[in-house]
Every structure is written in C-alpha cells, then in structure tokens.
Amino acid sequence: MRPQEYSANGTPVSAVNSHRVEPAAAACEWISLEHLALGSERVGGMVVRSAQVRKVLKTISRLSPYKATVLINGESGTGKELVARALHTLGPVPGGPFVTFNCSNLVESLAESQLFGHVRGAFTDAREDSLGYFRSANGGTLFLDEIGELPLRLQPKLLRAVETHEIQPVGSSHNYKVDIRLVAATNRDLRAMVKEGTFRDDLYYRLHAAAILVPPLRERREAIPAFVAHFIGHYNRLFGKDVKLVSREALEAICAHPWAGNVRELGHAIESAILMTENDRITIDDLPMELSDGTSLAMTDSIEDSLDDGAPLMSSVEEPETGAAGAEQKWPYSLDAVIRDASKLALVRALQATQGNCHRAAELLGVSRYTVYRMLNRFGMAEGRSYRTFRKPIVRQA
C-alpha cells in the first residue's frame, strides 16, 4: 500500500489510491525517514516543504541573478544564512567567495578595521595590512548577519560602501573598488529602530529596497517532519549512527512544540535524540526533556486552579435525599460522575506530586503519557491546548 497523509482531524489530505482512511496505516507506530521527507525538496541547501518557503524561494530566484543588496528579516534560528547562501549559489558568481560576519561580534574600537581593513601602522598593534571583510568578499557575496547590531557611528560608512562600491581602509588615503553582493540579515525591527534613532533611516531604506521575510517554524509546521528527516540524516552521518524510524508519539510531541528557537532549536533537539537513542529508532524518551514533558509548565497553573483551594474534587458526592418512607427522592450522582471526579482528583494529585511533570505523573497513575494529555483536555486543564489537533504524521501500511 502506498503512503497516506492525514490532516489534523484525521481525514486524508491526499490519497494516492483512494480517499478512504486505511485502518492499518492509521495504526502504524513507526514512521520512516522516507515518509517524513515525502513532499519536500532540497534547493540551495534549503529544505522546502511549506507554501511560505516556496514563496521565499520564488523571491530568491527573482533576486539571485542580480547583485542587488538584499535584506533578510526573520526570527533567530529561521535559516536566514541559508537564504543568503541560496542567493549566492543561484547568483551570477556562485564560484566566488561567500564571506559571513555577525555584526554582534564587532569590537567597537576595531569595527571599522574589521569591515574595511587597515594599513600597517594605522593604529597600535597594526603590524601588517589587513583586507577586512569587504575586500575579502570581492567577486562574491558578503553576508552581514545581525545588521541591527552595527554601531551607529559606522552606519554612514556602510551606506557609502553600499552606494559607491568603494571602501577606504583605516589609515589609508586610497579608495578600493569592491565587486560584491551585500546581503544583510536581522531579527530586529529596523523600522522601530529608525524611529528610536538607533538605526539610520537612509541605510534602512537602502537595505530594504529588496527584502525577504523568512517565516518562523510555528507558521510552517507542515515542514517539521521533513526537517526531522533532514537532521536525522545529517547527524547519522556526523556520528556514524543509522537511525531509520521515529515513533508516532515522538513525532507528535515534536510537531506540538512551540519552537521558539525555530529550525536551529529543532536541529539541536534531533542531535540530542540521535545521541540518546541506543538503536535505529527515536522514541519520545530519547527527546530532550522540554519536548517529552512539553506540557509540564503550561499545565501547572491550570492544575492549581482545578484544586479550588484544596477542596476535594468529589465534594458533590453526598448522601442521597430520602422521603418520609425512606424512598429515594433524587439520586445526586451517577457512576460516570463518580469515576470522572475520581479520575480528575487522581490526575491532579499525581501532577501536584510531580510538580506538573506529565511523564512522571503518568508513571504514578500507571497510564501512558498521552492518556494524561487526553485527560487534561477532557477536564479543561490544558489552557486551550488540544493534543488532538497535532498534524498526524505521514504513515505507511504496517
């Protein structure tokens, strides 16, 4: 049977042979790397799976033939350097140098020298000439990451270099022509910095003439399985491992994580899982604690609220009212209600005892971790987070 992909509500997204959900496929517990990567492609070092990234790739293809300055916006860890490398690789001089520098690493007193170079004797300890990053990138691409960290005093000189393609090393009276494509990137709001006076407006408008926005991972969750397959393959080669499968439970936990650190954080999580697993598959227990117990912190406040100042959750269970002849007038509870209240009380007490650690609470209760998650949803203790809304992974016939 060929692979079947399921949407968040459990219905097929695209069936190869039919539109019917295959029970055997839905019950599969292990997902192969091949199926994780299904529907994705690699372009210029980028893993392309989501519509948002395909839009980014389309913009790259339009800008890459020209040596125009490009500004890449995006949160930390979204892959801005990969976009810059794709611009270089798909550009007119892919064989030229690709020089990258993080502006947050600039030394204030040496910043100008680092970028534009210096001549011997220009300052103390300048014992020989230095090219600087601009001339080192001549004939290729200079990627300035975290451009928002560039000192204000240096911004006019950067603007002039961008406008004239000329630089003047520190201590020199000679200008040097540089043939480069400048690509800048930032995770900061440069427009807001312009209003605050911490970033020059003329430099901002010059950089922003051609801009690319890289979306955060939480806005392209459909690409997460493909990234998982990519990183497993990468770390298999790096560490000499042969991981081939990922459990459904582990993949659902990965897809549910907020990924504040985006693709970079996901890569580190998979690296950890590869190191922790003792065989050819990754389970939820191999994942870092913040993934395997991803609900612990989010659930704590809801658990405390559910306790109602320590009052027993089964307070509704009272002696039934009776009439004069001892006949029961009204039965105040049902067996289902008693079981529900008892289950909720047991869950709350277990989570209290483990400080909200769902994995340890599940061990105390003798149930699986995802039974605990379902109970939290059923009792309204999940702060609006539903563990049934995870995108189901691509599976194959068992």
Side-chain angles (χ1 to χ4, degrees):
M1 180 66 65
R2 297 179 67 182
Q4 172 72 30
E5 186 176 352
Y6 295 96
S7 64
N9 61 10
T11 58
V13 173
S14 58
V16 177
N17 295 324
S18 71
H19 295 285
R20 178 172 56 88
V21 175
E22 296 290 344
C28 180
E29 292 297 325
W30 299 99
I31 303 98
S32 69
L33 302 191
E34 174 189 6
H35 285 82
L36 287 173
L38 195 65
S40 65
E41 56 183 313
R42 295 287 302 278
V43 180
M46 300 172 60
V47 177
V48 182
R49 177 69 163 77
S50 65
Q52 296 95 322
V53 175
R54 293 187 192 281
K55 184 177 179 180
V56 169
L57 191 62
K58 186 175 182 180
T59 304
I60 292 173
S61 67
R62 289 178 176 177
L63 295 175
S64 58
Y66 314 103
K67 290 187 177 181
T69 301
V70 178
L71 177 64
I72 305 172
N73 294 280
E75 295 179 7
S76 179
T78 51
K80 297 187 290 296
E81 184 173 343
L82 286 178
V83 173
R85 289 186 179 276
L87 283 166
H88 174 72
T89 303
L90 301 175
V93 285
F98 181 88
V99 178
T100 179
F101 183 73
N102 192 313
C103 293
S104 63
N105 293 333
L106 281 170
V107 179
E108 182 70 25
S109 59
L110 300 175
E112 186 176 353
S113 171
Q114 287 178 284
L115 284 178
F116 307 121
H118 63 257
V119 296
R120 180 180 178 182
F123 51 85
T124 304
D125 293 332
R127 296 185 177 89
E128 57 184 20
D129 292 352
S130 172
L131 290 178
Y133 286 97
F134 267 82
R135 281 200 287 170
S136 295
N138 194 38
T141 300
L142 173 60
F143 175 54
L144 295 181
D145 200 6
E146 304 300 344
I147 192 69
E149 306 298 327
L150 189 70
L152 190 60
R153 69 172 185 84
L154 204 58
Q155 292 177 21
K157 295 184 179 181
L158 176 62
L159 176 62
R160 183 180 183 280
V162 174
E163 292 281 5
T164 65
H165 292 276
E166 288 186 350
I167 59 100
Q168 185 178 28
V170 177
S172 173
S173 58
H174 182 70
N175 290 336
Y176 292 87
K177 279 285 187 181
V178 286
D179 179 23
I180 67 169
R181 176 210 287 275
L182 179 67
V183 180
T186 183
N187 60 6
R188 301 183 64 178
D189 185 349
L190 295 187
R191 187 185 296 273
M193 293 180 65
V194 168
K195 293 179 179 179
E196 295 168 357
T198 56
F199 201 87
R200 289 180 63 97
D201 56 353
D202 48 4
L203 178 58
Y204 168 73
Y205 294 127
R206 183 65 184 84
L207 295 174
H208 200 262
I212 298 176
L213 176 62
V214 185
L217 187 57
R218 62 180 175 275
E219 294 181 6
R220 42 181 169 135
R221 289 186 179 276
E222 65 271 30
I224 290 178
F227 278 118
V228 171
H230 165 71
F231 285 122
I232 289 177
H234 172 73
Y235 289 113
N236 271 344
R237 293 187 293 271
L238 185 63
F239 299 130
K241 292 265 195 167
D242 190 27
V243 175
K244 301 175 181 177
L245 301 170
V246 178
S247 74
R248 174 189 294 275
E249 185 182 27
L251 186 62
E252 288 183 344
I254 292 170
C255 290
H257 192 68
W259 297 115
N262 293 291
V263 180
R264 182 184 294 118
E265 182 190 1
L266 174 59
H268 293 327
I270 299 303
E271 178 183 11
S272 174
I274 291 288
L275 292 172
M276 292 300 295
T277 184
E278 297 179 346
N279 46 47
D280 67 344
R281 56 199 63 197
I282 291 175
T283 69
I284 195 165
D285 291 329
D286 298 319
L287 298 177
M289 185 174 295
E290 60 268 22
L291 271 77
S292 59
D293 295 306
T295 58
S296 297
L297 295 178
M299 300 302 173
T300 303
D301 293 339
S302 294
I303 294 164
E304 294 300 325
D305 293 341
S306 300
L307 291 176
D308 193 21
D309 297 328
L313 295 176
M314 296 176 63
S315 58
S316 60
V317 181
E318 301 170 351
E319 290 297 320
E321 299 177 0
T322 58
E328 295 176 358
Q329 300 297 316
K330 183 180 179 181
W331 193 256
Y333 56 89
S334 66
L335 182 59
D336 285 344
V338 172
I339 293 174
R340 177 185 172 88
D341 284 348
S343 299
K344 186 174 182 180
L345 178 61
L347 174 64
V348 169
R349 297 307 184 203
L351 288 168
Q352 266 195 323
T354 60
Q355 289 77 49
N357 187 308
C358 293
H359 176 59
R360 292 170 55 202
E363 292 179 343
L364 290 180
L365 295 171
V367 298
S368 72
R369 188 197 319 269
Y370 275 80
T371 296
V372 170
Y373 295 163
R374 287 192 292 271
M375 291 172 69
L376 288 165
N377 286 323
R378 186 166 70 249
F379 298 143
M381 297 160 57
E383 291 188 342
R385 294 175 59 187
S386 174
Y387 292 88
R388 296 183 63 82
T389 61
F390 300 162
R391 182 180 184 277
K392 286 182 169 53
I394 300 167
V395 297
R396 62 180 177 180
Q397 184 79 20

